[in-house]
Amino acid sequence: EDNEFSAGDNLNTPVSFAVDLKIPRFVVESPEGLALRPEKDFFSTSAQLASLGGLEERQFDVVLGNPRRSQLKTVYHLPKGLQVKSLPKTQDMQNSFGRLHIEYRTDGEGRVIVDRTIEVTEPRVPTSSYALFREFAAALKRLDDARILLERA
């Protein structure tokens, strides 16, 4: 519906954007009941990193590219008749390659707010540290399994 973007004239400030969408059928049936679909990573950071951690071991270093951070705030406006049954637990993981922080909360006004930060802090993963990187990548992959469960009010 609406969108707004930050001015791109100052290269020292992060780019930000806000988009309002109306999404019919954003609630799905899951084995646990009604659930919100996990938000998509607009920047594909988690998918890229998760795929790099897919092998048991590496013969060569993994090049991650420049250090970077992606922050995503998703606000779900629940339709009348639905309320939150349960939220995934807050996750906060940090190691020498990056940081993952994701927090789920409600505001008491029928909204669910998800704040997610993914940071890559090193440009390269040496083969000797690949197992530690795999832990980070696995945590990112598990984001796809998070479910915000709902119930009828």
Side-chain angles (χ1 to χ4, degrees), residues 74-90:
T74 305
V75 180
Y76 296 97
H77 297 261
L78 298 180
K80 290 183 182 184
L82 288 180
Q83 63 186 18
V84 173
K85 181 178 179 181
S86 69
L87 296 172
K89 292 180 181 175
T90 295

Side-chain angles (χ1 to χ4, degrees), residues 90-130:
T90 295
Q91 293 183 50
D92 203 359
M93 177 186 189
Q94 185 167 350
N95 66 23
S96 57
F97 302 107
R99 176 175 176 253
L100 164 65
H101 177 80
I102 186 162
E103 179 181 2
Y104 302 84
R105 66 184 189 281
T106 59
D107 68 355
E109 308 229 350
R111 292 184 293 228
V112 177
I113 300 151
V114 183
D115 288 305
R116 184 179 70 195
T117 301
I118 300 171
E119 288 184 75
V120 177
T121 54
E122 291 294 326
R124 179 180 295 269
V125 178
T127 56
S128 60
S129 301
Y130 183 65

Side-chain angles (χ1 to χ4, degrees), residues 5-146:
F5 294 87
S6 61
D9 55 351
N10 184 348
L11 297 178
N12 294 318
T13 59
V15 173
S16 65
F17 67 93
V19 179
D20 289 335
L21 302 170
K22 286 189 178 183
I23 305 171
R25 298 187 192 120
F26 71 98
V27 175
V28 296
E29 292 282 346
S30 73
E32 301 90 4
L34 298 174
L36 290 176
R37 299 173 192 260
E39 66 278 352
K40 295 295 180 191
D41 180 5
F42 287 109
F43 313 107
S44 299
T45 304
S46 60
Q48 291 169 359
L49 293 173
S51 70
L52 291 173
L55 298 177
E56 287 244 352
E57 58 184 52
R58 291 272 182 168
Q59 292 181 320
F60 303 100
D61 292 356
V62 177
V63 177
L64 300 176
N66 293 330
R68 60 199 176 276
R69 174 180 17 185
S70 69
Q71 293 177 289
L72 181 64
K73 179 177 186 172
T74 305
V75 180
Y76 296 97
H77 297 261
L78 298 180
K80 290 183 182 184
L82 288 180
Q83 63 186 18
V84 173
K85 181 178 179 181
S86 69
L87 296 172
K89 292 180 181 175
T90 295
Q91 293 183 50
D92 203 359
M93 177 186 189
Q94 185 167 350
N95 66 23
S96 57
F97 302 107
R99 176 175 176 253
L100 164 65
H101 177 80
I102 186 162
E103 179 181 2
Y104 302 84
R105 66 184 189 281
T106 59
D107 68 355
E109 308 229 350
R111 292 184 293 228
V112 177
I113 300 151
V114 183
D115 288 305
R116 184 179 70 195
T117 301
I118 300 171
E119 288 184 75
V120 177
T121 54
E122 291 294 326
R124 179 180 295 269
V125 178
T127 56
S128 60
S129 301
Y130 183 65
L132 184 62
F133 173 74
R134 284 189 76 207
E135 290 176 22
F136 182 63
L140 292 170
K141 188 161 182 56
R142 285 191 299 271
L143 291 177
D144 291 338
D145 299 331

